[in-house]
Amino acid sequence: VQLQASGGGLVQAGGSLRLSCAASGRIFSINDIGWYRQAPGKQRELVASITSGGTTTYADSVKGRFTISRDDAKNTVFLQMSSLKPEDTAVYYCKGSGIRATAWSWGADYWGKGTLVTVSS
């Protein structure tokens, strides 16, 4: 199983970006999918997550500005980021939790490689 994040780039403050994370390989189901970010000199933090049932969770710092969604048919999760601020600058990672290869498999967690988001003031 591999997770590939994309969509990062340079954007001015107030702008928008849409991140995608596509899971590939032998996948039967994915439980939770989350977006995390790590700014220079800071710890990695949870930005947003979505359960298999569609329940979403957001960090207080991004509520009202970011929206997470998933397309299970394509094993893809999206993060729509709007009203971006310089403090949103970070490497963004996706994580799939409880990924099962078959209905009888144990679930495992996988991280994707990050995609850099830079917000200029």
Side-chain angles (χ1 to χ4, degrees), residues 3-117:
L3 273 66
Q4 181 67 50
S6 61
L10 174 63
V11 64
Q12 288 188 332
S16 299
L17 278 176
R18 188 191 195 207
L19 305 183
S20 300
C21 175
S24 61
R26 191 178 184 189
I27 298 172
F28 173 76
S29 64
I30 304 174
N31 283 350
D32 301 348
I33 306 177
W35 283 99
Y36 295 72
R37 67 186 180 188
Q38 187 166 18
K42 295 187 176 181
Q43 289 188 332
R44 190 173 298 188
E45 63 175 354
L46 175 66
V47 175
S49 66
I50 184 167
T51 69
S52 57
T55 300
T56 57
T57 302
Y58 296 94
D60 288 342
S61 59
V62 307
K63 282 181 181 177
R65 300 189 297 121
F66 291 9
T67 301
I68 188 171
S69 60
R70 61 191 286 171
D71 182 342
D72 288 334
K74 298 180 179 179
N75 289 326
T76 301
V77 64
F78 305 97
L79 185 67
Q80 178 67 47
M81 305 185 295
S82 303
S83 301
L84 283 161
K85 305 175 181 180
E87 51 264 43
D88 294 318
T89 295
V91 177
Y92 284 70
Y93 301 87
C94 57
K95 176 186 176 184
S97 301
I99 297 178
R100 295 190 292 165
T102 70
W104 304 273
S105 304
W106 290 103
D109 298 347
Y110 295 86
W111 286 91
K113 292 183 180 179
T115 184
L116 176 63
V117 172

